[in-house]
Amino acid sequence: MTGANLLVATPLWAAVVNPSPSPSATPATFGANVIGFSFLLSLLVWGPAVMAVVIALVPNPRGRYERWFLGIAFWTSASVLALTLIAYQQFQVFTTGVQFEENLPWLPSIGVSYHLGVDGIGISMLLLSALVGLCAVIASWEVRERPRSYFVLLLLAEAAVNGTIAARDFFVLLLFWSAVAVPLALLVAGWGERPRAAGAAWRLLGYWGLSSAALLTAGLLLYQAAGGSDFAIDTLTHATPTGRLQVVIAALLLVAGISRLPLVPLHGWARAVWSEAPTGVALLTAGVASRLGGYLLIRVMAAGEHDASRTLAPILSGLAVLTVGYAALAALRSRDLRRLGAYLALIPGAVTALGVAGLSPLSLEGAVLSLFTGGLAAALVVGATAALAERAQTRSLATAAGLAGRAPKLAWLLVAGCLAVLCVPFLATFPAGLMIFLGSFRTQGPAALLLALGLVADAGVVAWMLHRVLFGAPNPDAPNPGDATLPQAWFLGILVGTLLWVGLVPGGPKLFGVPLFDPGLVNVVNTSTPDLSSPYAVPSPSAPGSSPSASPSPGTGPGTPTSPSAGP
Amino acid sequence: MKTTVLVPELLVAGAAVGLFVAHRLGVVAGRWLASGALVATLVALGLELWLGGQIGTLFGGGWQQDRFSVFAKAAMLVGLAALIATGDWDSESLHEVLPLGFLAAFGGMVVASATNLVALWAGVELAGISGVAVAGILATGAGLRLLRVSVLASALITIGFAYLYAVTGASTLSGLRQTLVSEQLTLPLALISLLTLSGLAVRLGLTPFAAPTLERGISLTPVGSGVLHGLVAGAAALALAKLLSALYGTSPAWSLWLGGLATLAMVVGGLRATAVTAPRTLIAWLTVQQVGWVAAGLATHDRRGAAAALFLLVPLVLAATAGPLLSGAADSEPAGVAGLGRREPARAVGLGLVLLSLAGVPPLAGFFGEFTVAAELLRAGLGWVLACGLLGWLLGAAGVVRALWLMYLEPGPEEIRGQRGSRRPAVWAPGPLVPAVLVLAYGFFANPIHDLAVQGAAALGLR
């Protein structure tokens, strides 16, 4: 190699222009027939980060242009949502495999690549991230204290979440997984409600730092087991570590996932963060950043460590049951409105965990769907309680009472959020919950039953809370509450609208059987769940006279094209 | 091989002399001196990357150019450039220390091209003496104390080198390696190896040998700390890498020992990072922690581990050199950086990113290096070192977040004194952004840099 060659580094921008060809059967070009460029995912990941830098550098003499920061953040999030919606609409539901793939060598000597791509699970998570990200910015409309720093950190967090979802290389996954924690912790510490904000931030860092360390260790062990040549997630999930090692890896992944999700006993950060953080940050954390825990459990643990997943499934389902029970008891004892919302927001994570623990095709599909729907529900309940506490000028349940008459919009939005976390029909959480319970009863029957009972208990708590806070007699000594402001109505309305949309047409709207603009979330996630769940498919009973081979049931084998279904 | 390959060394040595003379005579204004020094450094760096592609020897085999020397010299020059760019060009102390900084970098370059024990010793001692002189110029007492430690380190290294020559009869590093591979490992040989490495560990700042230099370094001015903890430590790390490759045959003696020291450095550095509040001290302990990761990579005593250690060395030298300058005066208390994000945004960004890189937080340069070291540790069966490293990593990150909190979320001293609401214009200086950009950009250019590090490790002769 000559000296001239040494100076010729391989800038990332040059490699973006000349990406490696996508290995999927139908090359994923974003905007096919309109625009063809294959760096959509990089745009979704780095776009918010670049705009964060722009916000950091925009001159602001005497604080005259502070609303510009909000504007830049808003339009950035809106653009990300628009791009994601287009990608979602163009996502090909009749094929399996990764789409919108980008693959560039990064540290080839140790097998690290800048590898991005999405399948059905990924695109639904990206859509969730874009939606919740926009809602988080809208929820931050009234932030007046240090807005520059606030929106820089918010966009950086959004970028890191998108990077985690789109990552197909373990190094990239770990990089973004770990990078989410710092901006969120600073947001909680800097803009949360004093004096508990500091403690909440430290808890977030502690638990999420633990999850990062566990994930790093698990990934390195998988790397070794896979031959130490490649960090691609597909390679790592196809590694075959020995029995005990596989259990250790799966346990580490479990710790990493449930710390983020969260589940009891690694839930200590959630109540503090979701009740003390500013509304936008609580939304982002509850709605999508915590979903990454479930995403990890599905993407790596269930997809790769089949035997260990079966071994640990009872533990996971037990933790899910404990979480739902804890949520009910803690919510019942709570005297703080925002904390009550934080406890209720734990429920969707537990339902997702049950779906993963079920390890059946139906429960896994439900778990994937619940990543999206549960995130919306958790964000809605956290956001609604925060908005209500702010407009009622009190967080105390002893003070706030009978608010429905004076804050009807907020009241009904809170009701919708509470119903969503309980998996009530017509809301998006219902089909996901139904699939999870139906799929888990055979494999994790006691846990499924107990969790269902836990949901009933939570329903009782919700009813008590709604009666007390919304529909009971107003408290004459309480401050005069106001209804939702326009930004509050918007971000909560977006969340409710999405929950209703997916709940009513989970398979996408159709006109005389012809799919319209929405391919249907169930169809989208269905593209990747067959590959995911095929190792767990229960062999169909053999007919008399035929060979008793354990063949997967129709429609669940790998690479089986799926037909658009109308959902449950 | 053409002698033009020596131009970068000549440029650095000439710049050291020229800066010294110009400063003493006072014929050139300070800012011009600093800008000239920066230009000279950047030209040397460019020439090194351009001309350094040649492989060969000069002076009858006494001087060698290979991929390791290219990488090593580039690392030293990047650190030197960061020192100059980040420093206050109007500060008298910078102009006093700059010639010594160049000498320290020159010492590192001598180490990089050394083929025998004498050259290796000369390079290490040149860098070490530069560090002592920096301390002496700025604070005589600190300089004397550091001199005593430095003399001890020099004695250990000198005696060790002499013994190795006496036992093996080889003064060249390649000869040493060949002889020791076939030589039976004896207790005296093992002890001498450890003593020699201990001397280098003092220079490197590896716990528990870090205590003397750490304390002295913190008490110096920022630029002095940068030279001592960045450039001198960098030269020592390069010498360690070269010596360990030569001592490959005695690896059973030192690999476990080095792994233990690395573990201690990573854990102690992380623990102390969570306990301290003054930014200069925080930087010093985070540097200790990251030095531990470099040592851990070298403890694997194979090519891939050495490549990972080299890959981490560049972020370490960069951050350890620029960090003290970004944090400010030696006696800065926590309140000194409180509200820094509003008073001096550029410096706050630079300091924040440098701290995060030292702590190994993604997606910065330090994370890339530590990740590659972590992968090699597991491959080499040093899981216990990795476990301790992860603990130190978590602790270090926690310490850094507290510093960021102070910078961005706490009111500054003038705000505490009741002037809240009065807006002084923020000070924007470009210099602090240089290390910030470098630690951010390192990840984007990780491919060619890591490739060069792998080639550098191969050039050391490790298997």
Side-chain angles (χ1 to χ4, degrees):
Chain A
M1 194 196 317
T2 65
N5 290 339
L6 280 174
L7 278 180
V8 181
T10 310
L12 199 65
W13 65 268
V16 168
V17 177
N18 300 306
S20 60
S22 164
S24 59
T26 51
T29 54
F30 167 63
N33 305 323
V34 179
I35 316 167
F37 62 91
S38 53
F39 53 89
L40 164 72
L41 295 179
S42 289
L43 209 57
L44 294 178
V45 172
W46 297 107
V50 167
M51 294 315 291
V53 172
V54 168
I55 292 177
L57 296 177
V58 164
N60 183 26
R62 297 193 192 90
R64 249 186 257 163
Y65 304 119
E66 289 196 340
R67 295 306 274 172
W68 283 32
F69 305 141
L70 169 67
I72 295 172
F74 174 78
W75 287 112
T76 302
S77 299
S79 305
V80 166
L81 178 61
L83 282 174
T84 310
L85 283 171
I86 295 173
Y88 171 77
Q89 194 272 332
Q90 298 214 346
F91 189 83
Q92 299 181 10
V93 298
F94 296 101
T95 181
T96 58
V98 176
Q99 300 184 29
F100 307 115
E101 196 166 5
E102 301 169 33
N103 196 349
L104 303 165
W106 201 351
L107 294 172
S109 55
I110 59 171
V112 170
S113 302
Y114 176 74
H115 191 181
L116 302 181
V118 286
D119 53 7
I121 306 172
I123 195 69
S124 63
M125 285 290 291
L126 275 183
L127 185 60
L128 173 70
S129 172
L131 274 166
V132 173
L134 180 63
C135 291
V137 172
I138 298 174
S140 308
W141 208 265
E142 302 300 330
V143 169
R144 293 279 190 263
E145 190 183 348
R146 302 186 305 271
R148 184 199 296 266
S149 304
Y150 181 90
F151 288 109
V152 165
L153 292 171
L154 198 68
L155 286 179
L156 287 176
E158 197 177 318
V161 167
N162 288 348
T164 308
I165 296 167
R168 301 297 301 182
D169 183 276
F170 176 78
F171 177 82
V172 179
L173 174 72
L174 179 70
L175 187 141
F176 287 114
W177 175 278
S178 307
V180 174
V182 173
L184 285 178
L186 288 173
L187 282 166
V188 172
W191 288 267
E193 299 202 18
R194 307 294 171 96
R196 289 187 288 238
W202 281 117
R203 284 181 186 220
L204 180 81
L205 264 183
Y207 281 95
W208 288 25
L210 172 69
S211 82
S212 296
L215 181 60
L216 171 64
T217 310
L220 290 176
L221 287 173
L222 269 175
Y223 174 68
Q224 284 300 111
S229 61
D230 192 2
F231 271 104
I233 291 179
D234 287 335
T235 306
L236 297 187
T237 51
H238 283 99
T240 50
T242 58
R244 189 175 294 181
L245 180 61
Q246 193 180 123
V247 172
V248 169
I249 292 171
L252 287 167
L253 290 170
L254 192 70
V255 167
I258 67 174
S259 304
R260 201 59 79 95
L261 197 54
L263 294 181
V264 166
L266 298 177
H267 65 290
W269 61 271
R271 184 203 71 181
V273 170
W274 292 343
S275 61
E276 308 304 335
T279 310
V281 178
L283 227 63
L284 193 65
T285 320
V288 66
S290 61
R291 299 288 105 195
L292 296 177
Y295 179 74
L296 180 76
L297 292 177
I298 294 171
R299 169 72 74 208
V300 185
M301 193 185 85
E305 316 310 310
H306 307 132
D307 295 332
S309 295
R310 291 190 185 93
T311 305
L312 295 177
I315 297 174
L316 183 59
S317 59
L319 293 178
V321 170
L322 280 176
T323 303
V324 169
Y326 167 80
L329 287 172
L332 199 60
R333 293 188 58 208
S334 176
R335 294 294 173 260
D336 182 303
L337 182 59
R338 284 199 68 179
R339 286 191 177 185
L340 201 150
Y343 291 129
L344 293 178
L346 291 172
I347 298 170
V351 174
T352 303
L354 178 67
V356 176
L359 291 178
S360 67
L362 190 60
S363 74
L364 284 171
E365 184 167 346
V368 171
L369 190 61
S370 78
L371 285 177
F372 181 89
T373 61
L376 291 176
L380 179 58
V381 78
V382 163
T385 49
L388 192 61
E390 183 196 323
R391 296 303 290 163
Q393 301 170 65
T394 179
R395 293 168 54 142
S396 169
L397 290 178
T399 310
L403 298 176
R406 289 172 288 176
K409 272 189 274 188
L410 272 176
W412 286 108
L413 289 165
L414 179 60
V415 169
C418 293
L419 294 179
V421 297
L422 295 175
C423 303
V424 162
F426 299 119
L427 292 171
T429 44
F430 174 71
L434 190 67
M435 282 193 256
I436 286 171
F437 281 106
L438 290 179
S440 305
F441 266 118
R442 183 189 292 187
T443 51
Q444 301 291 330
L449 181 64
L450 286 172
L451 198 136
L453 292 174
L455 284 182
V456 172
D458 285 312
V461 173
V462 163
W464 165 79
M465 184 269 287
L466 291 177
H467 170 76
R468 178 162 185 166
V469 175
L470 299 180
F471 303 111
N475 185 351
D477 300 325
N480 201 24
D483 206 352
T485 60
L486 188 61
Q488 288 172 342
W490 268 101
F491 82 78
L492 292 171
I494 290 172
L495 294 172
V496 170
T498 312
L499 280 166
L500 281 171
W501 176 260
V502 177
L504 292 172
V505 281
K510 294 182 181 62
L511 189 63
F512 304 112
V514 177
L516 295 178
F517 51 87
D518 179 5
L521 193 67
V522 168
N523 301 326
V524 168
V525 303
N526 219 10
T527 59
S528 47
T529 46
D531 286 344
L532 172 70
S533 59
S534 58
Y536 305 107
V538 176
S540 53
S542 54
S546 64
S547 71
S549 59
S551 58
S553 51
T556 60
T560 306
T562 56
S563 56
S565 62
Chain B
M1 193 169 73
K2 295 181 183 175
T3 53
T4 47
V5 74
L6 293 172
V7 170
E9 275 87 340
L10 292 173
L11 206 54
V12 171
V17 173
L19 283 169
F20 180 76
V21 170
H23 177 66
R24 286 288 175 225
L25 295 178
V27 296
V28 183
R31 294 185 71 84
W32 285 107
L33 273 181
S35 56
L38 183 61
V39 168
T41 306
L42 293 175
V43 168
L45 178 62
L47 285 174
E48 183 61 47
L49 292 174
W50 185 269
L51 299 170
Q54 306 172 56
I55 294 179
T57 59
L58 287 174
F59 309 127
W63 188 97
Q64 178 174 291
Q65 182 71 11
D66 56 19
R67 292 290 179 262
F68 174 81
S69 58
V70 170
F71 188 91
K73 291 176 195 177
M76 297 301 296
L77 290 170
V78 164
L80 185 61
L83 180 82
I84 302 167
T86 314
D88 180 2
W89 288 10
D90 296 319
S91 160
E92 185 63 20
S93 63
L94 177 70
H95 303 302
E96 283 180 342
V97 169
L98 261 185
L100 296 168
F102 272 82
L103 277 180
F106 182 69
M109 295 170 86
V110 169
V111 166
S113 286
T115 59
N116 53 56
L117 293 173
V118 173
L120 199 65
W121 176 87
V124 172
E125 291 311 307
L126 183 58
I129 289 170
S130 303
V132 172
V134 162
I137 281 178
L138 302 169
T140 311
L144 284 173
R145 287 191 291 273
L146 194 60
L147 180 63
R148 285 196 285 270
V149 172
S150 185
V151 165
L152 176 63
S154 295
L156 289 173
I157 295 170
T158 308
I159 293 170
F161 280 10
Y163 185 87
L164 285 170
Y165 173 67
V167 166
T168 61
S171 64
T172 62
L173 295 174
S174 55
L176 201 62
R177 180 168 48 248
Q178 285 167 4
T179 309
L180 287 175
V181 163
S182 54
E183 184 97 3
Q184 189 179 5
L185 182 63
T186 59
L187 184 60
L189 186 59
L191 284 173
I192 284 294
S193 299
L194 293 181
L195 283 173
T196 311
L197 294 175
S198 299
L200 279 174
V202 173
R203 293 261 187 250
L204 184 54
L206 190 61
T207 300
F209 306 103
T213 52
L214 191 81
E215 188 190 312
R216 309 306 182 256
I218 292 171
S219 64
L220 299 178
T221 58
V223 66
S225 282
V227 170
L228 190 62
H229 291 146
L231 296 176
V232 175
L238 295 173
L240 186 66
K242 285 207 118 165
L243 189 63
L244 289 178
S245 74
L247 295 179
Y248 180 80
T250 61
S251 60
W254 52 259
S255 62
L256 197 62
W257 172 83
L258 191 59
L261 284 190
T263 305
L264 200 60
M266 291 188 280
V267 173
V268 170
L271 279 171
R272 292 291 294 166
T274 54
V276 300
T277 48
R280 284 282 300 280
T281 318
L282 176 63
I283 289 170
W285 284 111
L286 288 174
T287 304
V288 166
Q289 185 200 36
Q290 201 156 78
V291 163
W293 280 96
V294 172
L298 293 173
T300 60
H301 62 86
D302 61 19
R303 179 186 301 182
R304 290 180 59 163
L310 289 177
F311 187 56
L312 179 56
L313 186 64
V314 177
L316 170 64
V317 169
L318 174 63
T321 309
L325 287 133
L326 290 166
S327 69
D331 58 352
S332 62
E333 291 301 319
V337 293
L340 190 68
R342 287 179 291 285
R343 291 200 312 276
E344 295 178 66
R347 190 170 142 219
V349 166
L351 181 59
L353 290 177
V354 160
L355 284 172
L356 288 169
S357 176
L358 278 174
V361 173
L364 300 173
F367 170 75
F368 284 81
E370 290 183 12
F371 183 87
T372 52
V373 172
E376 298 308 327
L377 286 175
L378 204 60
R379 181 193 52 78
L382 295 174
W384 56 280
V385 178
L386 174 61
C388 295
L390 287 177
L391 174 63
W393 176 64
L394 283 174
L395 295 170
V400 167
V401 170
R402 184 165 53 190
L404 293 178
W405 188 336
L406 278 172
M407 283 196 289
Y408 284 100
L409 305 177
E410 288 294 318
E414 68 279 5
E415 290 166 308
I416 293 172
R417 285 196 295 270
Q419 297 173 16
R420 198 183 299 270
S422 64
R423 287 184 171 273
R424 293 171 57 189
V427 176
W428 279 92
L433 292 176
V434 169
V437 169
L438 289 175
V439 296
L440 271 174
Y442 196 74
F444 286 101
F445 296 101
N447 189 1
I449 297 174
H450 188 257
D451 193 41
L452 191 56
V454 168
Q455 294 179 51
L460 286 174
L462 290 165
R463 288 197 283 271

